[in-house]
Amino acid sequence: MLLHRLTPALLGASLALSLAPALVQPAAADPTAPPAGSSPHAVHLLDQAQAALEGGREDATLALVELRDQLTHLDSADRAEARALFARPDGTVAATDPTAARWTSAERSAARSTCDAPATYGNHPFCVHWVPEGTRSGLLTLSRQISTDDAVAKTVQTLTRTWNTEIGTLGYRVPKGDGSAGSKQVPTRDRVDVYLADTGRSGIYGYAVPEGSASVQTSAGYLVLDNDFSAAQFGDATHPDAARQVTAAHEFFHLVQFGYDADESIWLMESTATWIEERVYSAVNDNRQYIAAGSLRRPGQPVDTFGDGAHYGTWVFHELISQRLGNGVLRQVWRNAATVAGDNARASLSSALRTAGSSLLNEFRTFSGASIVPARFWREGRYYPRAEISRTWTLSPTARSTGLLSTRINHLASVDVVVRPASTMTGAWKLRLRIDAPSSAATAYVLVFRRDGSVTKVPLRLNASGNRVYDVPFSASKVHRVAVALGNASARDGRTTTFRATAWR
């Protein structure tokens, strides 16, 4: 996937990570002859994919995956143009190919591979291909594709840790083998190919490419990573070594995902790939920059939203689940996804949570409440932004009720409200919360913030009809505020929940 890290100027805009099918397959694997004319939809997706690979702000992952699925709807000329976008850096492509990662013929002839020199680089389940320094051709003197020996060594080291963590420690499947593609020797058969190229010229850190026919659920693939992660190109504060680390962890996990279901929900692909950065390189913390675009900060936005960076920001949803139930839950999600082709994210997640002794309703309810005060729930939550509050009321002896709030809540989204006691509310005051939701798929989480700094957490269970009346302390001498997260754990949008809070004693 093409990965554009967010700079301050782009924060909150859509990031671009892209998946692109590759050189030999899917084109050769197309079972049907090109149609006489391309469908308008397929042409739109081709244009969108080209823009993404040129460094545009379109999400290249979604654009290229959709294009891959539409290859059979392109005519001969358009299909050839699409195939150029899928080619490996060392593949022969049309002169009009826009990809900054593409090597010239001189660069291809000079390229080297770590798998051709195991005595120097070790024997690994992956091969790193690069254009070396001190090349044999003077034509490469000014080549942008050249990688230093140090960059190659660091790439090998980074990929080794990534493989050992994701495949070894976390137990995910080995990426599907690609046969002899990318190999110069028989012993490199089915190893993961990684190409170093000047993707930074387009503002892209790296990408993962699924190969093979779109009619097949699983897919082999390869990686393209930037050759130097130059701060001069990317213009952000992430150190080049750190950028290489989290990019490799993220992109390699896409190859892992392709071995389960290459056409799974893009939200699930991107959010779990961003989550796994925390498992492999927790100290880097590059993924924190995305949280403000996700559902933690924007509770009214469904957790499974794709677009405007939301899908990267919701990695913290998976983080909370893994901290509560273990890392194996996300592995089970992908195992479940492999049982059904295409988008099966909600069902896969629900089933995995049931296997772990929980439920999607329970984990979403916890997430919605935790978002109000992240420091109390996530290990690194003190660095996370807090959820936006929709309404705040201050009650007093003469104004004891919030009145009736009626709010429509989308699926896997919530509305967060706060009720404060006025300073005059001394004595044995209590706050009565009345919730009337459309069904038992509604959720409520209550947080009582006390003057002594403690927080009482109440995951409020609603009855079978989605209703509940609940009292909490409300004396101003002891309580600073009461926060309530009203949520919708169903798959349906626009469910209406009513809420009223009344002070009494």
Side-chain angles (χ1 to χ4, degrees):
M1 314 214 153
L2 301 182
L3 176 52
H4 293 262
R5 295 288 172 187
L6 284 179
T7 62
L10 293 178
L11 189 58
S14 182
L15 307 174
L17 275 147
S18 80
L19 301 172
L23 175 64
V24 180
Q25 330 288 345
D30 285 345
T32 62
S38 300
S39 74
H41 179 59
V43 171
H44 167 72
L45 295 179
L46 174 58
D47 291 341
Q48 184 171 277
Q50 288 174 326
L53 285 170
E54 291 169 356
R57 294 175 66 175
E58 292 288 336
D59 189 288
T61 294
L62 181 59
L64 293 175
V65 168
E66 288 183 330
L67 176 60
R68 174 176 177 260
D69 291 339
Q70 291 292 314
L71 281 174
T72 57
H73 299 281
L74 294 172
D75 63 23
S76 296
D78 287 337
R79 193 178 296 188
E81 192 172 347
R83 289 171 181 168
L85 302 181
F86 303 152
R88 295 184 178 216
D90 61 353
T92 302
V93 296
T96 57
D97 177 64
T99 308
R102 197 72 65 230
W103 295 348
T104 65
S105 58
E107 291 163 344
R108 290 197 301 271
S109 65
R112 295 178 58 193
S113 172
T114 57
C115 286
D116 294 332
T120 301
Y121 298 102
N123 191 16
H124 301 285
F126 54 83
C127 304
V128 178
H129 309 277
W130 80 100
V131 178
E133 297 178 287
T135 57
R136 292 167 292 178
S137 171
L139 295 176
L140 297 180
T141 302
L142 300 178
S143 170
R144 293 176 178 269
Q145 308 293 357
I146 289 175
S147 299
T148 65
D149 292 342
D150 181 60
V152 174
K154 287 179 177 178
T155 301
V156 170
Q157 181 183 44
T158 298
L159 290 169
T160 299
R161 175 167 171 171
T162 296
W163 185 289
N164 290 344
T165 303
E166 296 183 15
I167 306 303
T169 303
L170 297 178
Y172 285 92
R173 292 179 183 175
V174 172
K176 189 174 181 178
D178 63 358
S180 60
S183 301
K184 295 182 179 179
Q185 299 176 348
V186 174
T188 65
R189 182 178 179 85
D190 285 337
R191 299 192 189 187
V192 172
D193 292 303
V194 182
Y195 298 87
L196 302 186
D198 185 26
T199 61
R201 198 188 323 175
S202 296
I204 297 166
Y205 281 67
Y207 56 96
V209 183
E211 298 178 287
S213 171
S215 64
V216 179
Q217 181 176 353
T218 60
S219 177
Y222 66 91
L223 299 182
V224 180
L225 302 178
D226 190 63
N227 59 340
D228 58 10
F229 292 91
S230 167
Q233 283 185 322
F234 295 110
D236 61 23
T238 304
H239 188 277
D241 290 344
R244 177 184 294 105
Q245 290 166 352
V246 294
T247 301
H250 185 119
E251 305 306 333
F252 178 78
F253 194 59
H254 286 312
L255 295 186
V256 172
Q257 293 167 348
F258 300 161
Y260 290 91
D261 188 352
D263 289 318
E264 185 48 76
S265 157
I266 299 298
W267 166 76
L268 185 64
M269 283 187 170
E270 299 296 2
S271 60
T272 57
T274 309
W275 164 80
I276 212 160
E277 295 176 25
E278 197 72 12
R279 305 277 77 75
V280 185
Y281 287 103
S282 178
V284 175
N285 297 317
D286 184 76
N287 51 11
R288 288 181 189 169
Q289 65 180 300
Y290 311 139
I291 299 174
S295 296
L296 186 156
R297 177 61 176 164
R298 303 174 181 179
Q301 175 177 271
V303 167
D304 59 357
T305 296
F306 181 88
D308 292 332
H311 43 293
Y312 303 108
T314 50
W315 71 269
V316 291
F317 177 67
H318 304 307
E319 181 69 11
L320 188 60
I321 289 173
S322 62
Q323 288 183 17
R324 286 165 48 81
L325 303 175
N327 291 325
V329 174
L330 271 294
R331 182 180 66 243
Q332 187 59 48
V333 170
W334 278 101
R335 287 177 176 172
N336 294 343
T339 63
V340 179
D343 188 343
N344 190 37
R346 184 184 176 96
S348 298
L349 181 58
S350 296
S351 178
L353 290 171
R354 286 195 300 271
T355 300
S358 187
S359 67
L360 181 57
L361 184 148
N362 185 55
E363 295 309 311
F364 171 72
R365 175 176 54 205
T366 301
F367 174 76
S368 63
S371 299
I372 295 174
V373 54
R376 299 281 180 165
F377 289 84
W378 282 272
R379 283 194 288 267
E380 298 180 359
R382 65 186 181 279
Y383 302 109
Y384 299 174
R386 296 185 178 187
E388 296 171 343
I389 303 299
S390 296
R391 290 287 301 274
T392 300
W393 299 272
T394 299
L395 303 186
S396 68
T398 58
R400 300 187 183 187
S401 176
T402 61
L404 186 66
L405 172 68
S406 180
T407 181
R408 293 173 63 84
I409 306 174
N410 287 334
H411 76 283
L412 295 181
S414 62
V415 171
D416 299 346
V417 298
V418 168
V419 187
R420 300 176 182 274
S423 59
T424 54
M425 298 197 74
T426 58
W429 286 97
K430 291 187 176 182
L431 185 68
R432 176 158 295 167
L433 308 174
R434 293 183 181 273
I435 300 169
D436 184 0
S439 73
S440 58
T443 65
Y445 203 107
V446 179
L447 297 154
V448 181
F449 293 82
R450 299 178 180 273
R451 295 286 180 184
D452 63 5
S454 64
V455 179
T456 300
K457 308 171 185 177
V458 184
L460 200 59
R461 295 184 179 275
L462 307 182
N463 63 24
S465 299
N467 304 326
R468 185 68 187 270
V469 176
Y470 189 75
D471 290 347
V472 296
F474 202 58
S475 171
S477 62
K478 295 182 178 180
V479 174
H480 179 265
R481 68 189 186 279
V482 176
V484 184
L486 304 167
N488 173 12
S490 79
R492 293 178 56 188
D493 286 334
R495 307 299 297 274
T496 299
T497 293
T498 61
F499 168 83
R500 183 192 300 269
T502 306
W504 66 280
R505 64 176 176 178

